[in-house]
Amino acid sequence: TREQAQLKASVVEEDTEEWQKDSSFAGLERVGGVDLSYVKGDDTNACASLVVLSYPALEVLYEDCRMVAVSAPYVAGFLAFREVPFLVEALQRLEQEKPELKPQVLLVDGNGLLHPRGFGVACHLGVLTDLPCIGVAKNLLQVDGLVKDELHKEQIRSLRRGGDSFPLTGTSGAVLGMVSCRDYDNSSKPLYVSVGHRVCLETALRLVKSCCRYRVPEPIRQVQGAGEGEGRP
């Protein structure tokens, strides 16, 4: 808890890059996606994956998938301590092998500020790598009074009727993220976007939307596909 609090103090919740300030993200050329996925029925063997896509074409430039042995125990709210070291190693390999392909921003399959202590996987990875990071989750983490109740479901349904997003405001009054829903293939399943590091929430949401060909943004869709291709059931 102490280490998490110390790292959280380094989180930057604002845009820090010139490309972030441009409406079309001029200057952004490489977007990364990271994921750690477990072999079905096995919580110790996992595939740590990193992909880098061109932007705005969203074509795969680099792919790294490694089977890893996860030894740290799972503790709710501290998942990053179990998973992030393997993602950092993947980024370090990229920097050694193909430094010219280093991503300018990372989309993380998980949460950022939308976390019990405001420091999810996307924040943790961002602080350790000093890269802009965005959390993109498929399920609502119920913290600070946020619940998947009928009101929440109705707000999601309203997105299909013309809206595009709404803020996740906790009982503390803090906006912890945004809900975005793309009506693709008759699916109304939302995405929960939150700040990780060195990006503001508005920019994070705009970038995630610009990376979506389908429901899930392409960097995360591709990185999860890469993990499956590595032999994960």
Side-chain angles (χ1 to χ4, degrees):
T1 305
R2 190 182 307 113
E3 183 179 350
Q4 194 177 63
Q6 289 171 344
L7 291 169
K8 183 181 184 298
S10 298
V11 170
V12 176
E13 301 176 38
E14 301 171 354
D15 292 339
T16 61
E17 310 301 298
E18 284 301 316
W19 60 262
Q20 294 168 329
K21 301 167 187 173
D22 187 274
S23 60
S24 61
F25 296 125
L28 177 61
E29 299 177 350
R30 298 173 305 283
V31 180
V34 292
D35 181 45
L36 193 138
S37 48
Y38 294 86
V39 173
K40 190 174 182 180
D42 184 345
D43 63 357
T44 59
N45 290 296
C47 184
S49 305
L50 162 68
V51 297
V52 181
L53 276 59
S54 63
Y55 188 89
L58 301 177
E59 295 174 348
V60 176
L61 302 174
Y62 176 91
E63 190 177 289
D64 179 3
C65 306
R66 302 282 178 100
M67 294 303 297
V68 297
V70 182
S71 58
Y74 170 74
V75 180
F78 298 93
L79 180 66
F81 288 95
R82 178 174 163 88
E83 299 187 348
V84 162
F86 300 107
L87 304 178
V88 171
E89 287 176 5
L91 286 157
Q92 289 172 339
R93 282 194 297 273
L94 167 60
E95 200 146 12
Q96 291 168 1
E97 297 167 10
K98 299 270 188 178
E100 70 279 8
L101 295 181
K102 180 179 178 180
Q104 294 163 275
V105 60
L106 286 173
L107 269 60
V108 182
D109 182 28
N111 293 297
L113 296 180
L114 181 56
H115 177 271
R117 286 169 300 282
F119 195 72
V121 172
C123 296
H124 201 128
L125 184 61
V127 169
L128 291 185
T129 62
D130 200 32
L131 283 171
C133 280
I134 299 169
V136 184
K138 303 181 194 74
N139 297 298
L140 175 64
L141 188 61
Q142 300 188 20
V143 298
D144 195 12
L146 297 173
V147 290
K148 204 170 183 179
D149 57 10
E150 192 53 42
L151 173 60
H152 183 77
K153 292 174 183 175
E154 175 55 35
Q155 287 177 305
I156 291 170
R157 285 192 289 269
S158 74
L159 295 182
R160 299 186 68 190
R161 296 196 291 266
D164 60 357
S165 61
F166 65 85
L168 283 167
T169 305
T171 53
S172 66
V175 176
L176 302 177
M178 296 291 291
V179 183
S180 178
C181 184
R182 176 168 178 165
D183 186 7
Y184 171 75
D185 198 22
N186 294 319
S187 170
S188 60
K189 294 179 179 177
L191 292 174
Y192 298 92
V193 179
S194 57
V195 168
H197 184 52
R198 292 179 58 185
V199 62
C200 75
L201 185 56
E202 179 186 356
T203 299
L205 182 64
R206 280 198 303 122
L207 182 61
V208 168
K209 286 182 178 179
S210 76
C211 288
C212 284
R213 288 176 175 164
Y214 307 100
R215 176 201 170 205
V216 176
E218 207 63 11
I220 291 177
R221 198 177 78 88
Q222 291 288 348
V223 79
Q224 292 177 335
E228 290 170 359
E230 185 65 13
R232 199 180 97 223

